[in-house]
Coordinates of all heavy atoms in Angstrom, one line a residue:
I7 N 4.2 16.5 6.5 CA 4.8 16.6 7.8 C 5.5 18.0 7.9 O 6.1 18.5 7.0 CB 5.8 15.5 8.0 CG1 6.3 15.5 9.5 CG2 6.9 15.5 7.0 CD1 7.0 14.2 9.8
S8 N 5.4 18.5 9.1 CA 6.1 19.8 9.5 C 6.8 19.6 10.8 O 6.3 18.9 11.7 CB 5.1 20.9 9.7 OG 4.3 21.2 8.5
L9 N 8.0 20.1 10.9 CA 8.8 20.1 12.1 C 9.0 21.5 12.6 O 9.3 22.4 11.9 CB 10.2 19.5 11.7 CG 11.3 19.6 12.8 CD1 11.0 19.1 14.1 CD2 12.6 19.0 12.2
V17 N 16.1 26.6 11.8 CA 16.2 26.3 10.3 C 17.1 25.1 10.0 O 16.7 24.2 9.3 CB 16.6 27.6 9.5 CG1 16.8 27.2 8.1 CG2 15.6 28.7 9.7
E18 N 18.2 25.1 10.7 CA 19.2 24.0 10.4 C 18.6 22.6 10.7 O 18.8 21.7 9.9 CB 20.5 24.3 11.1 CG 21.2 25.5 10.6 CD 22.2 26.1 11.7 OE1 22.2 25.6 12.8 OE2 22.9 27.0 11.3
P19 N 18.0 22.4 11.8 CA 17.4 21.1 12.1 C 16.3 20.7 11.1 O 16.2 19.5 10.7 CB 16.8 21.2 13.5 CG 17.5 22.3 14.1 CD 17.9 23.3 13.0
I20 N 15.5 21.6 10.6 CA 14.5 21.4 9.7 C 15.1 20.9 8.3 O 14.7 19.9 7.8 CB 13.6 22.6 9.5 CG1 12.8 22.9 10.7 CG2 12.6 22.4 8.3 CD1 12.0 24.2 10.7
L21 N 16.1 21.7 7.9 CA 16.8 21.3 6.6 C 17.5 20.0 6.7 O 17.5 19.2 5.7 CB 17.7 22.4 6.2 CG 17.0 23.8 5.8 CD1 18.1 24.8 5.5 CD2 16.0 23.6 4.7
A22 N 18.1 19.7 7.8 CA 18.8 18.4 8.0 C 17.8 17.3 8.0 O 18.0 16.2 7.4 CB 19.6 18.4 9.3
F23 N 16.6 17.4 8.6 CA 15.6 16.4 8.6 C 15.1 16.1 7.2 O 15.0 15.0 6.8 CB 14.4 16.9 9.5 CG 13.2 16.0 9.5 CD1 13.2 14.8 10.2 CD2 12.1 16.4 8.8 CE1 12.1 14.0 10.2 CE2 10.9 15.6 8.8 CZ 11.0 14.4 9.5
I24 N 14.8 17.2 6.4 CA 14.4 17.0 5.0 C 15.4 16.4 4.2 O 15.2 15.5 3.4 CB 13.9 18.4 4.5 CG1 12.7 18.9 5.2 CG2 13.6 18.2 3.0 CD1 12.4 20.4 4.9
D25 N 16.7 16.8 4.4 CA 17.8 16.2 3.6 C 17.9 14.7 3.8 O 18.1 14.0 2.8 CB 19.1 16.9 3.9 CG 19.2 18.3 3.3 OD1 18.4 18.7 2.4 OD2 20.1 19.1 3.8
K26 N 17.8 14.3 5.0 CA 17.9 12.9 5.3 C 16.8 12.1 4.6 O 17.0 11.0 4.1 CB 17.9 12.6 6.8 CG 19.1 13.0 7.5 CD 19.1 12.8 9.0 CE 20.4 13.3 9.6 NZ 20.3 13.1 11.1
L27 N 15.6 12.6 4.6 CA 14.5 12.0 3.9 C 14.7 12.0 2.4 O 14.4 11.0 1.8 CB 13.1 12.7 4.2 CG 12.6 12.5 5.7 CD1 11.4 13.4 5.9 CD2 12.3 11.1 6.0
E28 N 15.2 13.1 1.9 CA 15.5 13.1 0.5 C 16.5 12.2 0.0 O 16.5 11.8 -1.2 CB 15.8 14.6 0.0 CG 14.6 15.5 0.1 CD 15.0 16.9 -0.3 OE1 16.1 17.4 0.0 OE2 14.1 17.6 -0.8
N29 N 17.4 11.8 0.9 CA 18.5 10.8 0.5 C 18.0 9.4 0.5 O 18.8 8.5 0.2 CB 19.7 11.0 1.4 CG 20.5 12.2 1.1 OD1 20.6 12.6 -0.1 ND2 21.0 12.9 2.1
N30 N 16.8 9.1 0.9 CA 16.2 7.8 0.9 C 15.7 7.5 -0.5 O 14.7 8.1 -0.9 CB 15.1 7.7 2.0 CG 14.6 6.3 2.1 OD1 14.5 5.5 1.1 ND2 14.2 5.9 3.3
L33 N 11.8 6.8 -1.3 CA 10.7 7.8 -1.1 C 10.8 8.9 -2.2 O 11.8 9.2 -2.7 CB 11.0 8.5 0.3 CG 11.1 7.6 1.5 CD1 11.3 8.4 2.7 CD2 9.9 6.7 1.7
I35 N 9.9 12.9 -2.4 CA 9.8 14.0 -1.4 C 9.5 15.2 -2.2 O 10.1 15.5 -3.3 CB 11.1 14.2 -0.6 CG1 11.5 12.9 0.1 CG2 10.9 15.4 0.4 CD1 10.6 12.4 1.1
S36 N 8.5 16.0 -1.7 CA 8.2 17.3 -2.3 C 8.2 18.3 -1.1 O 7.5 18.1 -0.1 CB 6.9 17.2 -3.0 OG 6.5 18.5 -3.4
R37 N 8.9 19.4 -1.2 CA 9.0 20.3 -0.1 C 8.4 21.7 -0.6 O 8.5 22.0 -1.8 CB 10.3 20.5 0.5 CG 11.4 21.0 -0.5 CD 12.6 21.5 0.3 NE 13.7 20.5 0.3 CZ 14.9 20.8 0.9 NH1 15.1 22.0 1.5 NH2 15.8 19.9 0.9
N38 N 7.9 22.4 0.3 CA 7.5 23.8 0.1 C 7.8 24.6 1.3 O 8.4 24.1 2.2 CB 6.0 23.9 -0.3 CG 5.0 23.4 0.8 OD1 5.1 23.8 1.9 ND2 4.1 22.5 0.4
L40 N 5.9 25.6 3.8 CA 5.1 25.3 5.0 C 5.3 23.9 5.5 O 5.1 23.6 6.7 CB 3.7 25.6 4.7 CG 3.3 27.0 4.4 CD1 1.8 27.1 4.1 CD2 3.7 27.9 5.6
S41 N 5.6 22.9 4.6 CA 5.6 21.5 5.0 C 6.4 20.7 3.9 O 6.8 21.2 2.9 CB 4.2 20.9 5.2 OG 3.6 20.9 4.0
T42 N 6.6 19.5 4.2 CA 7.2 18.5 3.3 C 6.3 17.4 3.1 O 5.6 16.9 4.1 CB 8.6 18.0 4.0 OG1 9.4 19.1 4.2 CG2 9.2 17.0 3.1
Q43 N 6.2 16.9 1.9 CA 5.3 15.8 1.6 C 6.2 14.6 1.3 O 7.2 14.7 0.6 CB 4.4 16.0 0.4 CG 3.3 17.0 0.7 CD 3.8 18.4 0.7 OE1 4.5 18.8 -0.2 NE2 3.4 19.2 1.6
I44 N 5.8 13.4 1.8 CA 6.6 12.2 1.7 C 5.6 11.2 1.0 O 4.5 11.0 1.5 CB 7.0 11.6 3.0 CG1 7.8 12.7 3.8 CG2 7.9 10.4 2.8 CD1 8.0 12.3 5.3
E58 N 14.1 9.1 11.5 CA 14.5 10.5 11.5 C 13.8 11.3 12.6 O 14.4 12.2 13.2 CB 14.2 11.1 10.1 CG 14.9 10.5 9.0 CD 16.4 10.3 9.2 OE1 17.0 11.1 9.9 OE2 17.0 9.3 8.8
V62 N 15.7 13.4 15.6 CA 15.5 14.8 16.0 C 15.2 14.9 17.5 O 15.7 15.8 18.2 CB 14.3 15.4 15.2 CG1 13.8 16.7 15.8 CG2 14.7 15.6 13.7

Side-chain angles (χ1 to χ4, degrees):
I7 189 167
S8 298
L9 165 57
V17 174
E18 293 158 356
I20 294 170
L21 295 177
F23 175 75
I24 296 169
D25 287 342
K26 288 179 183 176
L27 292 172
E28 287 179 330
N29 285 323
N30 185 326
L33 307 178
I35 307 295
S36 177
R37 62 162 100 179
N38 62 50
L40 298 175
S41 65
T42 300
Q43 289 79 43
I44 308 165
E58 299 312 328
V62 169

